Amino acid sequence: MKEIFNWHRVNENITTSGQFTEEQFAQIANLGVTHIVNMGLHDHKYALPDEKNLVTTNGIEYIYQPVDFNNPTDDDFATFCEVMERLDGETIHIHCIANYRVSAFLYRYYRDVKGEGAQKARDEMLSIWKPEGVWADFIAD
C-alpha cells in the first residue's frame, strides 16, 4: 500500500490515507473494507471525481464528512465520533487529501474518547505531519 499517499493501518479494522486514485481503490476494496469515510472536500483539485459512485457501485458504504482544512470545528469532531461509534467493529478506510485531517481527528478520538491507543495515533500523525495553527488548537496538544 506504499503507493497510496500516506497510507497507514491503524488496527485490524481501520486504515487511513490521503486521496487514492481510481486504480488504487481496488487495493483498498481488497482489504474487505465495508465503509469509506471521506473527510476531504469534493472540489479539491486532488479529489477523485465521482468517488461516491466508484465506492458505492462496489458495494461499499460511502460516508462524506467534509472538514474545512482552515477551520476544523468541535462540531466536525462530534460528527466524526458519531461515525466512528456507529462503525465500531466494521472494516473502514478513512481518508482526506493528505491524511492530515484524518490523522489529527483519530489522534484526538483515541485520546479523548477511547482513552487508549492515543500514543500510537499521535506517533502516526507525527509521521505524516506536525499540526500547527488551527490544527494545533484543534488537537489541543
Side-chain angles (χ1 to χ4, degrees):
M1 297 292 204
K2 290 180 182 179
E3 56 277 350
I4 299 176
F5 188 64
N6 281 336
W7 186 87
H8 282 269
R9 175 169 290 286
V10 175
N11 59 39
E12 63 277 358
N13 293 335
I14 301 172
T15 55
T16 68
S17 73
Q19 181 64 61
F20 51 84
T21 65
E22 190 169 341
E23 294 77 23
Q24 293 167 335
F25 169 73
Q27 296 174 28
I28 294 168
N30 286 337
L31 295 173
V33 168
T34 56
H35 301 78
I36 288 185
V37 179
N38 179 4
M39 298 178 74
L41 303 179
H42 283 156
D43 62 356
H44 191 280
K45 68 180 178 179
Y46 294 120
L48 185 62
D50 204 16
E51 179 177 329
K52 180 180 180 178
N53 185 53
L54 172 67
V55 170
T56 58
T57 58
N58 282 280
I60 298 171
E61 182 182 352
Y62 181 77
I63 300 166
Y64 183 54
Q65 192 209 330
V67 174
D68 179 350
F69 190 79
N70 296 313
N71 187 33
T73 67
D74 288 336
D75 286 343
D76 293 331
F77 183 66
T79 301
F80 178 80
C81 291
E82 290 169 9
V83 168
M84 293 299 288
E85 293 302 311
R86 181 173 74 82
L87 300 180
D88 188 37
E90 300 288 339
T91 304
I92 64 175
H93 182 78
I94 312 166
H95 82 89
C96 56
I97 300 302
N99 203 357
Y100 292 177
R101 294 170 182 92
V102 175
S103 64
F105 272 71
L106 276 176
Y107 169 51
R108 188 171 164 187
Y109 176 72
Y110 280 105
R111 183 192 66 202
D112 299 351
V113 177
K114 292 305 240 182
E116 60 185 60
Q119 187 61 51
K120 181 179 187 286
R122 184 179 192 284
D123 291 346
E124 287 180 354
M125 176 184 67
L126 293 176
S127 76
I128 298 168
W129 74 310
K130 183 179 186 309
E132 297 177 351
V134 296
W135 285 96
D137 294 340
F138 176 76
I139 63 171
D141 199 19

